Amino acid sequence: MCGIAGWIDWQADLTGQRAILEEMAETLVPRGPDSEGIWTSRHAGFAHRRLIVVDPEGGVQPMSRTHGGETYTLVYNGELYNTDDLRGELAARGYRFTTTSDTEVLLVSYIEWGPECLEKLNGIYAFAIWSHNEESVFLARDRLGVKPLFYTQQGSSFIFGSEIKALLAHPAVKPEITKEGLAEIFGLGPARTPGVGVFHNVFELLPASYLLHTRHGMKTKRYWSLDSHAHPDDLETTIDTIRHLLGDSIIRQLVADVPVCTLLSGGLDSSAISAFAAQAFQEQGMGPLHTFSVDYVDNDIHFRANEFQPNADAPWAKRVSEHLASIHHDIYFDTQHLIDSLPVALHARDLPGMTDIDGSLYLFCGEIKKKATVALSGECADEVFGGYPWFHREEALSATTFPWARNLREKTKFFSSDLHAEVDLEAYVKDRYQEALDEVPRLQGESGHDARIREMFYLNLTRWMPTLLDRKDRMSMAVGLEVRVPFCDHRLVEYMWNVPWSMKTYGEREKGILRQALRGALPDDVLMRRKSPYPKTHNPSYLASVRDKALAVLHDTSSPILPFINVKAVKEFASLNLASVHMPWFGQLMNVPQFFAYLVQVDMWMREYRVVVK
């Protein structure tokens, strides 16, 4: 994995602007700690920071190649999982390769097929290609949006980068937000509307889309989308197909020239990936698989089961590790670690995020990085197979808003009358929700519960999953760890999209069809374990610490967040006995402690990024 940035301007000579590109690249050093590359021409400049995973010598970027009198230059962040297939097809067409890197294969694929090459790629990627003769830049992003890519147009300058911080390093880009940005932070946050970069005039290239920018203007186009049709396969064929697609995805994603490991919680998804990986390691004589799990000091004392977290992970991770004979690493963090991680996680994401849920993942990835450079994660199985509680509960299915944010009104009572006068947060979220529903590819003749379930899958794949993928990319890449997500293989997503709900819930269990597909790969008790999300701390000291930090922010008259907060309401809430208060305001994990921590992060963000509200 890597970090990329670029600058296009037809009204300026960029050959003398290397220093600005270096500044942009500097912000991306954690994504690519191993090397830097800068390339400039009269009207275009690229910057690249590299994390070496495949072909240390041959994958140097920016990479240029001349063919048919035209020269192309590429910067690329990601991995192709069908590199060998593409290389073979291109070799048959007469191309010769000088490296074993997927970078060269991607560049040659574009040279041969142009934008249509995207239809052939299996991987996670965000890249830019400059065509020297045409003087055009082509940007593209993978189908599910695993790898990030942001851009802005500032006067005659078109600027892009893997992260928002790379754009802000350019002198033309200012850290300004408008009403839309306020609505994103206080209404939708820590989620984001697809395509919205929160900062004024900053945009995110949508997943499964490309952008072509020339002297004559800019256009974007979607190159892949879900297609609704009747599912053609019977139950047995469906189970076999799922097992094949998942297994093939995992095996493809094990390819690397650096140490590879898996994240293992003992849940169905991470256990499945670890099982396939451990078998491949054994068959290929690669030694035992290393697996990693995260937990918190004294969670065994303070853990209390609830509707979202029915049981603790630690015993289950141990169970699966012993079954697979993996070398397992239990990583533990304490309250102070989580407090200290809040500003680091904020900087990694460039926006207020999932607070300690982000920070603990950042810390976890930092520990993994000491022993591996690539990790496989079970992220996104619940979106693809329908594992979340809101797929199965009537109050969520009948809600008229995003199911992970049903308590918006309860949250917004803590915001100031000035903010409410400036932005109607409830109306903003309602409009964004309706936009999502309007996009759903309907199945002709489908209605009632089945139609609503299809909507729920679309909401999860396009609105909820990006939040988790953003979190996973930023926290892992902030320490130079590449995390791959086999359940995001577009072939598996396409197939599961049209599998009927009655099959997905085989045996009247969430993800029942996946459990059947994994028969024999995992012990039965692991197969039948109830879903439990990424673990969080249950230590009351964390609540006490973030509450105190939030109150300190409110007592500081210089706090930039104050105009947006109902200080009296927050203080009154903070004075309550909150040990038993249940206020799930975002997703499964963000409750009372995370609400206080989110306010702290918003204040940090406005201070450190010098945010100006227009």
Side-chain angles (χ1 to χ4, degrees):
M1 293 298 176
C2 305
I4 65 173
W7 177 15
I8 313 297
D9 195 325
W10 281 281
Q11 296 182 21
D13 184 350
L14 302 187
T15 54
Q17 301 294 337
R18 184 183 179 93
I20 292 177
L21 289 163
E22 288 175 345
E23 290 276 343
M24 296 171 72
E26 184 67 20
T27 68
L28 302 173
V29 167
R31 296 187 73 91
D34 297 327
S35 65
E36 176 181 278
I38 304 290
W39 166 85
T40 61
S41 67
R42 182 171 177 79
H43 297 301
F46 286 169
H48 185 263
R49 290 294 319 189
R50 188 181 183 201
L51 174 67
I52 296 175
V53 173
V54 174
D55 192 0
E57 300 299 325
V60 175
Q61 298 184 50
M63 179 179 286
S64 296
R65 181 157 177 155
T66 299
H67 180 80
E70 171 67 290
T71 299
Y72 306 85
T73 299
L74 164 74
V75 282
Y76 160 51
N77 165 34
E79 297 290 343
L80 295 185
Y81 303 132
N82 62 337
T83 299
D84 289 345
D85 301 337
L86 291 170
R87 185 184 288 112
E89 186 174 354
L90 290 163
R93 290 172 174 258
Y95 290 94
R96 295 294 175 260
F97 294 87
T98 60
T99 76
T100 60
S101 72
D102 57 340
T103 305
E104 186 181 20
V105 169
L106 174 58
L107 180 55
V108 174
S109 294
Y110 181 79
I111 290 171
E112 174 63 17
W113 294 302
E116 287 72 31
C117 74
L118 299 169
E119 299 171 10
K120 294 177 173 285
L121 305 182
N122 180 336
I124 52 179
Y125 47 83
F127 65 87
I129 296 177
W130 174 255
S131 298
H132 292 236
N133 291 356
E134 292 183 2
E135 291 194 324
S136 65
V137 65
F138 178 87
L139 277 65
R141 195 165 172 222
D142 64 73
R143 293 172 179 83
L144 278 302
V146 179
K147 292 289 103 182
L149 189 57
F150 295 89
Y151 67 92
T152 183
Q153 182 80 44
Q154 301 287 339
S156 61
S157 291
F158 175 79
I159 304 156
F160 67 87
S162 294
E163 298 180 5
I164 293 172
K165 60 175 64 69
L167 274 59
L168 293 173
H170 192 288
V173 185
K174 307 301 181 185
E176 300 172 336
I177 63 171
T178 61
K179 290 181 180 181
E180 180 184 61
L182 290 173
E184 290 285 321
I185 293 295
F186 292 108
L188 283 176
R192 275 190 298 111
T193 301
V196 173
V198 179
F199 289 95
H200 177 55
N201 204 32
V202 170
F203 304 95
E204 177 187 42
L205 184 61
L206 289 170
S209 298
Y210 70 78
L211 180 156
L212 182 65
H213 189 55
T214 71
R215 286 179 178 271
H216 308 295
M218 177 174 65
K219 71 172 184 178
T220 60
K221 183 177 180 180
R222 192 169 185 87
Y223 65 86
W224 177 86
S225 60
L226 293 165
D227 175 44
S228 295
H229 56 76
H231 182 59
D233 298 335
D234 61 18
L235 178 63
E236 183 177 352
T237 303
T238 301
I239 290 170
D240 289 344
T241 302
I242 291 169
R243 186 179 180 101
H244 166 73
L245 288 173
L246 179 59
D248 184 67
S249 174
I250 294 167
I251 298 306
R252 286 178 181 273
Q253 296 190 29
L254 291 174
V255 175
D257 293 334
V258 292
V260 179
C261 67
T262 65
L263 279 59
L264 175 62
S265 69
L268 179 68
D269 313 328
S270 65
S271 299
I273 290 173
S274 297
F276 279 101
Q279 181 178 351
F281 269 49
Q282 182 179 25
E283 291 174 353
Q284 297 173 27
M286 298 168 62
L289 175 71
H290 284 253
T291 54
F292 292 80
S293 65
V294 62
D295 210 338
Y296 306 90
V297 174
D298 291 337
N299 247 15
D300 54 337
I301 299 172
H302 300 294
F303 178 82
R304 296 292 182 272
N306 60 46
E307 59 179 331
F308 294 128
Q309 287 190 296
N311 46 50
D313 282 343
W316 291 96
K318 184 173 185 292
R319 168 85 171 95
V320 176
S321 173
E322 289 176 349
H323 175 75
L324 300 178
S326 71
I327 298 176
H328 191 65
H329 307 266
D330 290 305
I331 309 298
Y332 288 88
F333 302 114
D334 208 342
T335 293
Q336 193 57 49
H337 293 121
L338 299 177
I339 296 295
D340 293 343
S341 74
L342 288 175
V344 185
L346 167 68
H347 186 259
R349 199 192 270 261
D350 289 321
L351 295 165
M354 297 181 75
T355 65
D356 61 307
I357 314 302
D358 283 354
S360 62
L361 180 59
Y362 166 83
L363 295 169
F364 184 33
C365 289
E367 292 300 309
I368 296 170
K369 175 66 176 179
K370 295 175 181 178
K371 293 186 167 60
T373 303
V374 173
L376 273 62
S377 168
E379 205 83 70
C380 304
D382 290 303
E383 291 85 349
V384 175
F385 287 89
Y388 290 118
W390 46 70
F391 279 97
H392 306 271
R393 298 183 179 177
E394 183 55 38
E395 69 271 17
L397 290 170
S398 61
T400 56
T401 190
F402 299 109
W404 49 86
R406 301 201 315 274
N407 296 326
L408 176 63
R409 185 165 297 176
E410 188 173 358
K411 180 177 69 169
T412 57
K413 69 184 181 183
F414 297 112
F415 301 150
S416 69
S417 57
D418 287 346
L419 176 59
H420 287 299
E422 188 76 13
V423 185
D424 188 336
L425 296 175
E426 292 188 41
Y428 184 85
V429 173
K430 181 180 179 181
D431 289 345
R432 293 310 200 192
Y433 176 70
Q434 189 58 51
E435 286 174 5
L437 293 185
D438 291 344
E439 295 171 8
V440 177
R442 307 288 178 176
L443 178 62
Q444 187 174 3
E446 189 174 61
S447 61
H449 182 263
D450 288 340
R452 178 55 179 164
I453 287 292
R454 189 175 294 275
E455 289 180 347
M456 190 66 78
F457 271 99
Y458 191 82
L459 291 171
N460 276 263
L461 289 168
T462 66
R463 298 313 194 266
W464 172 252
M465 191 166 78
T467 304
L468 301 188
L469 289 174
D470 195 46
R471 165 181 175 261
K472 185 63 62 91
D473 173 83
R474 303 311 173 77
M475 300 308 127
S476 60
M477 293 307 296
V479 297
L481 177 72
E482 176 180 315
V483 175
R484 300 173 178 176
V485 280
F487 282 102
C488 272
D489 188 302
H490 72 277
R491 301 168 302 164
L492 182 61
V493 174
E494 284 176 341
Y495 187 76
M496 286 305 304
W497 171 251
N498 288 301
V499 172
W501 185 239
S502 57
M503 279 193 186
K504 286 173 178 168
T505 55
Y506 178 85
E508 299 184 351
R509 283 297 308 273
E510 79 282 1
K511 298 191 287 193
I513 193 100
L514 178 59
R515 298 177 197 275
Q516 289 300 306
L518 295 171
R519 286 281 182 192
L522 294 169
D524 287 347
D525 57 341
V526 177
L527 280 177
M528 293 298 111
R529 183 193 174 193
R530 284 184 60 195
K531 172 181 167 49
S532 190
Y534 178 86
K536 69 175 182 178
T537 182
H538 294 264
N539 195 322
S541 67
Y542 182 72
L543 169 58
S545 295
V546 292
R547 177 177 57 189
D548 290 348
K549 289 184 77 69
L551 290 174
V553 166
L554 299 184
H555 280 106
D556 182 353
T557 57
S558 69
S559 295
I561 196 177
L562 289 181
F564 309 107
I565 300 301
N566 183 337
V567 175
K568 180 182 177 182
V570 174
K571 287 182 176 180
E572 288 177 352
F573 182 65
S575 69
L576 301 176
N577 179 3
L578 297 173
S580 58
V581 174
H582 189 53
M583 189 185 78
W585 63 276
F586 185 79
Q588 304 174 87
L589 298 176
M590 300 193 74
N591 212 295
V592 174
Q594 287 72 34
F595 173 70
F596 287 123
Y598 189 73
L599 296 182
V600 171
Q601 275 202 332
V602 173
D603 188 71
M604 287 180 183
W605 175 66
M606 297 190 77
R607 289 177 189 267
E608 295 179 17
Y609 283 72
R610 299 179 181 179
V611 174
V612 175
V613 180
K614 294 187 66 176

